Amino acid sequence: MMTMMMMDPLASMASVVDSRRKSTTTAAASSSAVADSQPESTVSSSSSVKGNVGGAGQRFAVLSYEQVKRLHSVMDAVVPIHGRGNFPTLEIKLKELVQVVRAKLERDGVKVRDIRVNGGAASYILAADGAQQSYNDLDLIFAVDLSTQRHFDRVKTAVLESLLDFLPEGANKKRISSCSLKEAYVHKMVKVTGEGDRWSLISLSNHGGRNVELKFVDTMRRQFEFSVDSFQIVLDSLLVFYECAEMPMADNFYPTVVGESVYGDFHESLYHLNQKLIATRNPEEIRGGGLLKYCNLLVRGYKAVCPVTIKSLERYMCSRFFIDFSDLQQQQQKLENYLTNHFVLSAAEDGGEGDALDGVGGGGGSGSRGERCLIYDYLMTLHRVVDESTVCLMNHERRQTLNLIEELAFQVYFQEQQRLFHKHHQQHSCCAATSSSSPFNATIHYGNAFYYTPYAATAAPPAHSNHPNYSHHPYAWMPCA
């Protein structure tokens, strides 16, 4: 159940926002994250912490055969790592990648305590109906010692050398530097060293949006945001099975694999996952990105375990969001990055064309038509939560953020209508070519803060379709903000 620790009034968070706003430059200079976004979740202990939390249920559980089989399918699947420029695409299986990286780390004197799958992939593996549980990035945690800067450097070297091993035959590996490999295959790199935090992240590029994220963790202050994303699956026994087993996996012959919920109660978390329920502990510890994750859960049909306390949770998350992202530019960058990484669309869906809206809904991936429609609904859900639960900003600052969210929502809507218009236009090109008065010869205009576009009907309006810009007329003026 959700545990709300109201140790300090929300007004204190408002004062922190104000102080952060005055010292944004100083705070940015002292940050040790080397990435285009701040870390969204932090951890209080190493990934190998054991035991129960405050008398809660058992943290650990043994996976069933069906779950182990699903884990095997994830680890055995070929994931393309796309290179920039003339660098070829690397076809890599996760089980081979983690074995190579671990071997190179141990060769360089970096002991690996364990390796785990977490995030959306772990939820997909454990869910009762995995087909209904989508995921984007493939998150792998290596529990290692990062007590010195040299250990961080060894981690980076091990990953880049591993990529070198996966280059196709015939490649002149001697002429390829580690810097070139980083520019070609690394999507982002993050290094965090602070009070209670020592970890780094190396994300490998995938144009389909399913980036392979290798996280090397010594300590973290918080490992999860909500119970449904708190799962970690220990891979060590499965890796031993791959190395030693001479028979294929079967229902009477498979390794014992252990999963952990860092939320504190594995079975309660699994119940929340299967029933689409939102719960957390110590919400005041959730970083600013928790607000975006919360709205993502809402738009996918999740509901609060305890509706009575959900408003307090929303106020905590809104306050923390504005603490971590205090100016409008940071908010826009964070929101656009989140949309790009969590609402990914394939090139086929875009008709082979790039996105009309830079940074929003792009990136390619496993998204579907439903994923595309969710982007608008997500932004309007975020708009509602920020509008109703923000208590730490002055009125004009709050209006600026709301206008930013609304503008992005209208751009997403316009982009979708434009895509449908061009698709319909191509289908009727023969008829349209003979009739200059055809409505599909109309031009889509933008001016005076309004879009004008022939409305192309979508499969179904979003849940919050009472918004005035969601018109049901064949032609509509849509306000931008």
Side-chain angles (χ1 to χ4, degrees), residues 139-359:
D139 301 304
L140 296 164
I141 297 178
F142 293 74
V144 296
D145 175 23
L146 295 175
S147 55
T148 66
Q149 177 59 41
R150 180 173 296 180
H151 286 82
F152 281 99
D153 295 336
R154 288 173 177 174
V155 162
K156 176 181 174 181
T157 300
V159 173
L160 296 179
E161 287 184 356
S162 299
L163 294 179
L164 200 63
D165 290 353
F166 287 101
L167 285 171
E169 295 183 6
N172 192 344
K173 300 180 181 180
K174 294 182 179 180
R175 298 184 60 183
I176 301 176
S177 65
S178 59
C179 183
S180 298
L181 286 171
K182 175 186 172 183
E183 292 297 323
Y185 295 110
V186 175
H187 175 64
K188 66 179 178 181
M189 297 183 72
V190 178
K191 173 186 171 185
V192 178
T193 56
E195 184 179 354
D197 284 318
R198 292 193 68 84
W199 57 274
S200 68
L201 169 70
I202 300 178
S203 177
L204 306 180
S205 299
N206 177 275
H207 293 169
R210 187 157 288 180
N211 296 329
V212 177
E213 302 212 330
L214 307 177
K215 186 175 289 185
F216 301 88
V217 178
D218 192 345
T219 60
M220 298 177 97
R221 284 181 293 165
R222 187 177 176 98
Q223 305 176 61
F224 72 101
E225 292 166 332
F226 304 97
S227 60
V228 294
D229 59 34
S230 67
F231 296 105
Q232 298 181 2
I233 301 173
V234 183
L235 295 177
D236 296 64
S237 60
L238 182 64
L239 297 177
V240 172
F241 180 86
Y242 288 145
E243 294 174 356
C244 302
E246 298 180 355
M247 297 172 55
M249 192 177 297
D251 57 357
N252 59 354
F253 183 70
Y254 64 93
T256 299
V257 179
V258 174
E260 179 185 3
S261 168
V262 291
Y263 170 76
D265 188 323
F266 187 94
H267 296 290
E268 182 182 349
S269 300
L270 191 59
Y271 175 79
H272 293 164
L273 178 65
N274 291 328
Q275 299 300 318
K276 291 194 168 184
L277 298 174
I278 300 174
T280 190
R281 300 187 192 278
N282 304 333
E284 70 280 355
E285 296 177 357
I286 299 178
R287 296 295 296 271
L291 172 65
L292 305 184
K293 172 71 174 180
Y294 169 73
C295 292
N296 197 350
L297 293 176
L298 287 180
V299 83
R300 296 177 189 277
Y302 285 74
K303 297 181 180 179
V305 169
C306 184
V308 175
T309 58
I310 197 63
K311 286 300 178 183
S312 295
L313 174 63
E314 289 181 357
R315 288 194 292 270
Y316 267 121
M317 291 187 295
C318 286
S319 297
R320 189 57 194 254
F321 179 81
F322 292 113
I323 289 173
D324 288 352
F325 310 102
S326 54
D327 65 67
L328 203 63
Q329 184 177 0
Q330 288 179 328
Q331 295 164 19
Q332 180 173 354
Q333 182 180 12
K334 178 63 181 177
L335 184 53
E336 289 181 348
N337 286 341
Y338 189 88
L339 292 175
T340 301
N341 294 329
H342 293 84
F343 295 90
V344 289
L345 303 169
S346 65
E349 290 181 285
D350 289 327
E353 301 177 359
D355 277 329
L357 177 61
D358 292 339

Side-chain angles (χ1 to χ4, degrees), residues 33 36 60 128 130 139 176 193 198 236 329 332 345 360 384 390 411 414 448 470:
D36 58 358
F60 298 90
D139 301 304
I176 301 176
T193 56
R198 292 193 68 84
D236 296 64
Q329 184 177 0
Q332 180 173 354
L345 303 169
V360 177
R384 175 187 62 78
T390 299
Q411 290 183 61
F414 171 68
N448 296 326
Y470 217 92

Side-chain angles (χ1 to χ4, degrees), residues 22-48:
K22 294 178 181 177
S23 59
T24 301
T25 305
T26 305
S30 62
S31 173
S32 56
V34 187
D36 58 358
S37 61
Q38 297 185 12
E40 292 185 13
S41 59
T42 50
V43 177
S44 59
S45 59
S46 75
S47 61
S48 57

Side-chain angles (χ1 to χ4, degrees), residues 120 123-125 127 129-135 228 273-274 276 302:
S123 298
Y124 160 77
I125 292 163
D129 187 357
Q132 300 299 319
Q133 186 70 36
S134 61
Y135 65 96
V228 294
L273 178 65
N274 291 328
K276 291 194 168 184
Y302 285 74

